[in-house]
Amino acid sequence: MIRRTFKEIALLLALSLLVAAATYTVRDDVPVLFSKNSAPTLQAPMNMPTAPAPLTPEQAHEAFTTEDVLFVDGRDNFDYDMGHIPGALNIPLHEATADPAILAVLPKDRHLVVYCSNDLCGKAQKLAALLTERGYRADTFPGGYQEWTTHGWKTEEALQ
Amino acid sequence: MRIPTALPRILVGGIFIYASVDKLLAPTAFAAAIANYQLLPQGLINPVAVWLPWLELFVGLGLVSGKLIRGAAAIATTLMGIFTVAVAYSYIRGLDINCGCFTMDPKSISDMRLVLVRDIGLMALCLMALYRAVLEQQNSQNKKTE
């Protein structure tokens, strides 16, 4: 009974592999596939004059202590409530893309630093790109909240 | 009695066939979707992007037509398990990516939490299909021995 199941599994795997291999040789759009942009593009294109610059954790912290910057948290409300950089405003990316009008709460005359969870999350880059498109001066802090907490820097919670 | 027993597998099979179509038509977009998960090594992305849609199609066809149903149900359950883990892991890492589940349209809604709930539901359906596939085959074997 179990042997038959395994036989069926093997048959299905082999069959699909065979057809996939056949299409791979026949279709001409397949060989190029993913060779062009081999890494997910997280950075905004560099040729944009106002492209958001990625800040190192030290730069972000220095901006936090010395400059009049406003941190923008691109994560969901839940993550924001669990903890965020002190004074940061929460603009979840999905809300901003659904209704860019909410970006109007951000002041145009201040330097914005957008962050999300860590360097694997693309929200900060996307949100910063959205902001620079609208004439904001926005940079990103790719290390995000995770990097901030590993340095032991001050955080703020909405839920006590 | 026969129809309810076969219902989960036909449903799962239909969903798998539906899911495979867009991937078969747009292998490049699907490869990009896989790469965004940042789980597979570079060398495996293209082979998986070409193979997985066909596997889904054959599994779906098997489940709907009633051929090789135990094997198909087992693969379907395993695949849904892998998809669910991949989506959950990506959500935990805070990735905001296109799921690449049914449509390769980058504008499709990509709330990972919804995708996660859907995947868990589908996996439950797959388990049901697997369980019933075993029952179906046992029944037919019993009939043969009688």
Side-chain angles (χ1 to χ4, degrees), chain B residues 65-118:
Chain B
S65 66
K67 300 266 185 286
L68 307 170
I69 46 175
R70 272 198 323 222
I75 296 177
T77 311
T78 314
L79 282 178
M80 279 322 298
I82 295 171
F83 296 161
T84 309
V85 169
V87 170
Y89 185 51
S90 306
Y91 176 64
I92 291 168
R93 289 197 300 170
L95 291 182
D96 173 50
I97 54 178
N98 183 7
C99 158
C101 306
F102 290 102
T103 169
M104 296 307 123
D105 182 0
K107 287 191 207 86
S108 63
I109 303 162
S110 67
D111 190 331
M112 298 295 267
R113 286 170 295 189
L114 283 182
V115 173
L116 198 58
V117 170
R118 186 184 66 195

Side-chain angles (χ1 to χ4, degrees), chain B residues 5 73 77 125-138:
Chain B
T5 311
T77 311
L125 202 62
C126 280
L127 280 171
M128 219 143 74
L130 181 64
Y131 173 67
R132 299 206 169 184
V134 173
L135 277 190
E136 267 184 80
Q137 239 145 14
Q138 261 175 352

